[in-house]
């Protein structure tokens, strides 16, 4: 009889993708997914340690599931970046935890479960896999019920920005061979996938360190040729590695969607230097200009940190100047959070929590207005929307995304899922667009 697995996921798209990969592996061990932890035989918490808030979620989640362990004997595991960071300490701290699965150890999951089910025991797998076997594709067995899929093209990060834990929990940067990536995407297209999102910490550095391998823009060209794939996206890009060839790809490749997520982190050169980002605000702005010159309809989103150690009022004001200049479609803004072991953790000019909070609110207030205006500017336009499924707000509506990655809700039939349809935008809201399907569009 099938058993049930419940997976709770925090963090970035890489973690979302890893959760999907774990589910696929577990299907081979006769586990089916459940959305109700109460009926689960296996509970996995896929964790993120990028900032304090997501990191702490693992302990409250574990607290919630303690009872299920006692009452139902559910097996409990922690995966992801906190698992990688804490390793055996997690097993020591949480006596009812059965396994800790590091970021390179996902493929060991079926084996660990077999051992636990047969003989019990508690396991911790956090060795880094230098050969990169953990990057190998784990494809869905048959036809895929989804419209879009992530595809990992590289893992890890060698940038060591001074605030960031990611290089420590995801290991060294490693690109997958392009032949493997292209094969995976061909298989996904055969299974009905229409959109791929290429994943990596700095995808535009793709190919670095792989002898004779193609670069990122050439990889995009080859994916653009794959029959059945209609849209290509990628995340995240590093401003330092944003080449002219990539900028050109946005106007040359028909399937490459007009959206880029290009974190800038701060608008102050002094702070950027302390962060070890490797670019100046001027060069960031020049790149944005070049992107818009090539592709005027391009949607641009970014990440920004407020309250990095030593950030003064004037640095923060420069960050505000930058966001006013660029007019981002959306912005993910964070208060600086000290991460043990990172370079910035040693700096002693930490910014007070109260000031960080005030700066965050000011910045978010400005951006909220810009995002709304950007969405309102879509009113009256006709957009190509790839339909993804039923809308969360109403059974009558379906939902999809524009090429610029805006969510659109409109009246329609679920038969349209997986199709690209023309939709006239009737209203722009803070987080989405409303539209109506154009039936007579040629
Ligand atoms: N590889 C991506 C981002 C990875 S982490 C890049 O280089 O852009 C996602 C975002 O979390 C970062 O862009 C940054 O804005 C934020 N972040 C990372 N570490 C942080 C920290 N210690 N405190 C606050 N925000 C942080
Ligand atoms: Fe972190 Fe910097 Fe690497 Fe991005 S580039 S993952 S922010 S170290
Ligand atoms: Fe978090 Fe790990 Fe992603 S720290 S942001 S889940 S790489």
């Amino acid at each position: 009889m099938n058993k049930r697995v419940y997976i709770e996921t925090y963090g970035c798209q890489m973690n979302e993708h890893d959760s999907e990969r774990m589910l696929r592996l577990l299907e081979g061990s006769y586990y089916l997914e459940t959305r109700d932890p109460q009926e689960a035989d296996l509970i996995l918490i896929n964790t993120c340690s990028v900032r304090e808030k997501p990191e702490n979620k693992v302990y409250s989640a574990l607290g919630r599931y303690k009872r299920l362990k006692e009452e139902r004997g559910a097996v409990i595991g922690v995966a992801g970046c906190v698992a990688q960071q804490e390793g055996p300490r997690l097993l020591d701290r949480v006596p009812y935890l059965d396994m800790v699965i590091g970021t390179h150890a996902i493929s060991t999951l079926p084996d660990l479960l077999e051992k636990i089910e047969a003989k019990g025991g508690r396991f911790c797998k956090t060795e880094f896999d230098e050969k990169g076997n953990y990057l190998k594709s784990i494809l869905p067995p048959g036809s895929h019920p989804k419209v879009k899929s992530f595809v990992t093209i590289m893992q890890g990060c060698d940038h060591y920005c001074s605030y960031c834990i990611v290089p420590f929990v995801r290991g060294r940067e490693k690109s997958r061979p392009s032949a493997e990536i292209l094969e995976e995407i061909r298989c996904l297209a055969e299974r009905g996938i229409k959109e791929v999102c290429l994943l990596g910490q700095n995808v535009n550095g793709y190919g670095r360190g792989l002898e004779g391998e193609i670069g990122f823009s050439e990889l995009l060209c080859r994916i653009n040729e794959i029959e059945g794939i209609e849209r290509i996206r990628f995340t995240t890009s590093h401003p330092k590695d944003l080449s002219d060839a990539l900028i050109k790809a946005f106007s040359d490749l028909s399937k490459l969607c007009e959206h880029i997520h290009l974190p800038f982190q701060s608008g102050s050169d002094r702070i950027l230097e302390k962060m070890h980002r490797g670019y100046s605000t001027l060069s960031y702005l020049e790149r944005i200009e070049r992107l818009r010159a090539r592709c005027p309809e391009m949607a641009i989103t970014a990440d920004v940190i407020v309250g990095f150690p030593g950030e003064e009022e004037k640095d923060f004001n420069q960050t505000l100047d930058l966001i006013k200049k660029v007019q981002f479609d959306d912005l993910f803004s964070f208060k600086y959070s000290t991460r043990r072991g990172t370079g910035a953790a040693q700096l002693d000019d930490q910014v007070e929590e109260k000031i960080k909070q005030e700066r965050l609110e000011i910045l978010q207030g400005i951006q909220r207005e810009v995002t709304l205006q950007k969405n309102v500017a879509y009113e009256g336009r006709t957009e190509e929307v790839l339909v993804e499924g039923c809308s969360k707000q109403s059974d009558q509506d379906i939902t999809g995304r524009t090429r610029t990655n805006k969510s659109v809700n409109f009246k329609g039939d679920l038969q349209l899922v997986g199709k690209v349809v023309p939709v006239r935008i009737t209203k722009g809201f803070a987080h989405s667009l409303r539209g109506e399907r154009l039936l007579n569009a040629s």
Side-chain angles (χ1 to χ4, degrees):
M1 210 187 70
N2 277 319
K3 294 187 170 182
R4 307 258 162 197
V5 52
Y6 173 78
I7 306 194
E8 196 163 307
T9 310
Y10 301 106
C12 62
Q13 286 153 321
M14 247 158 251
N15 258 16
E16 275 177 44
H17 186 41
D18 283 346
S19 289
E20 262 178 43
R21 285 154 58 92
M22 288 196 277
L23 271 178
R24 287 179 207 156
L25 279 173
L26 289 167
E27 278 163 13
S29 304
Y30 307 104
Y31 275 87
L32 288 179
E33 186 183 13
T34 170
R35 299 201 181 261
D36 178 9
Q38 306 296 327
E39 61 169 35
D41 304 289
L42 168 64
I43 293 173
L44 291 172
I45 308 164
N46 197 3
T47 58
C48 170
S49 55
V50 78
R51 289 172 298 276
E52 199 176 344
K53 249 193 194 161
E55 186 183 71
N56 288 340
K57 283 184 178 160
V58 59
Y59 293 105
S60 47
L62 281 166
R64 278 200 303 281
Y65 301 133
K66 182 172 183 221
R67 199 178 44 83
L68 296 179
K69 173 93 203 168
E70 289 163 357
E71 287 171 6
R72 310 193 61 240
V75 174
I76 301 184
V78 171
C81 296
V82 178
Q84 187 64 42
Q85 184 181 276
E86 294 303 306
R89 280 196 296 263
L90 260 171
L91 287 183
D92 290 346
R93 197 166 154 181
V94 186
Y96 52 91
L97 180 61
D98 299 289
M99 51 184 172
V100 174
I101 307 136
T103 53
H104 290 197
I106 285 177
S107 59
T108 63
L109 184 56
D111 195 38
L112 289 184
L113 269 175
E114 216 178 287
K115 284 190 182 134
I116 292 172
E117 282 164 5
K119 289 203 204 122
R122 306 173 77 215
F123 298 93
C124 174
K125 287 269 178 199
T126 50
E127 301 83 31
F128 278 138
D129 164 17
E130 302 297 342
K131 291 206 186 92
N133 286 329
Y134 63 96
L135 292 171
K136 291 233 154 49
S137 61
I138 307 169
L139 284 168
S143 79
H144 205 283
K146 290 192 181 154
V147 173
K148 53 188 191 178
S149 177
F150 293 120
V151 174
T152 308
I153 66 164
M154 60 203 293
Q155 283 228 354
C157 181
D158 286 349
H159 277 278
Y160 291 94
C161 302
S162 62
Y163 51 82
C164 186
I165 196 72
V166 172
F168 302 93
V169 288
R170 290 275 168 171
R172 303 299 307 266
E173 179 182 295
K174 193 162 183 78
S175 295
R176 278 176 80 190
S178 57
E180 238 181 80
I181 298 170
L182 293 165
E183 185 51 30
E184 178 169 335
I185 298 177
R186 273 184 219 110
C187 288
L188 289 169
E190 277 164 20
R191 286 160 162 82
I193 289 291
K194 299 285 189 278
E195 177 179 307
V196 285
C197 179
L198 312 179
L199 283 185
Q201 294 300 343
N202 298 289
V203 282
N204 46 356
Y206 173 79
R208 220 176 351 231
L210 275 190
E211 194 73 23
E213 192 47 276
I214 55 175
F216 186 54
S217 38
E218 179 58 25
L219 181 68
L220 290 173
C221 278
R222 297 196 189 175
I223 298 171
N224 200 60
E225 300 298 309
I226 296 178
E227 212 176 304
I229 294 299
E230 294 187 25
R231 288 182 167 190
I232 309 167
R233 301 185 188 278
F234 56 83
T235 194
T236 297
S237 307
H238 197 296
K240 195 158 69 78
D241 295 326
L242 186 72
S243 66
D244 285 339
L246 176 55
I247 294 177
K248 191 166 172 291
F250 277 107
S251 57
D252 292 353
L253 303 181
S254 60
K255 297 177 181 175
L256 184 60
C257 290
E258 294 78 14
H259 168 228
I260 191 163
H261 184 67
L262 197 63
F264 66 97
Q265 313 298 2
S266 169
S268 154
D269 286 339
R270 203 175 64 83
I271 298 295
L272 283 176
E273 206 160 296
K274 288 174 68 166
M275 288 175 163
H276 301 158
R277 286 291 287 179
Y279 54 85
S280 64
T281 44
L282 187 65
S283 64
Y284 183 85
L285 289 169
E286 273 168 11
R287 283 173 173 112
I288 298 285
E289 232 170 73
R290 268 186 274 154
L291 275 166
R292 285 192 167 141
R294 267 272 168 198
C295 184
E297 62 277 36
M298 178 78 91
I300 303 175
T301 56
D303 296 343
V304 55
I305 298 173
V306 298
F308 183 83
E311 185 189 75
E312 291 173 9
E313 198 67 27
K314 69 172 189 312
D315 301 300
F316 174 61
N317 285 332
Q318 287 170 346
T319 295
L320 295 183
D321 287 345
L322 190 143
I323 68 169
K324 287 178 197 159
K325 256 187 215 145
V326 175
Q327 301 274 301
F328 290 101
D329 286 77
D330 210 351
L331 204 51
F332 299 87
S333 42
F334 310 106
K335 283 186 281 185
Y336 169 75
S337 163
T338 307
R339 304 285 76 201
R340 206 172 355 108
T342 60
Q346 272 120 50
L347 301 173
D348 48 19
D349 42 0
Q350 301 287 330
V351 175
E352 245 179 87
E353 177 60 29
K354 187 169 150 280
I355 295 178
K356 283 192 217 171
Q357 185 61 32
E358 277 169 15
R359 290 183 183 166
L360 188 72
E361 284 170 20
I362 294 170
L363 186 146
Q364 290 182 337
I366 294 173
Q367 185 56 42
R368 210 173 292 127
E369 278 299 305
V370 179
T371 302
L372 179 62
Q373 278 168 22
K374 288 261 172 185
N375 288 349
V376 168
Y378 274 72
E379 292 175 5
R381 286 200 217 167
T382 299
E383 291 289 314
E384 284 179 19
V385 174
L386 173 59
V387 182
E388 290 173 15
C390 203
S391 152
K392 280 193 192 117
Q393 283 126 25
S394 153
D395 291 349
Q396 312 273 303
D397 288 343
I398 51 177
T399 188
R401 280 178 190 262
T402 64
R403 288 177 60 101
T404 51
N405 209 30
K406 310 259 177 198
S407 252
V408 188
N409 296 305
F410 58 104
K411 280 212 173 4
D413 199 292
L414 280 176
Q415 301 244 319
L416 293 174
V417 171
K419 301 217 163 50
V420 175
V421 295
V423 175
R424 201 177 69 86
I425 307 303
T426 52
K427 186 104 188 109
F429 299 103
H431 303 292
S432 66
L433 306 173
R434 173 94 212 152
E436 52 194 24
R437 189 178 165 215
L438 287 186
L439 290 170
N440 303 325
S442 53

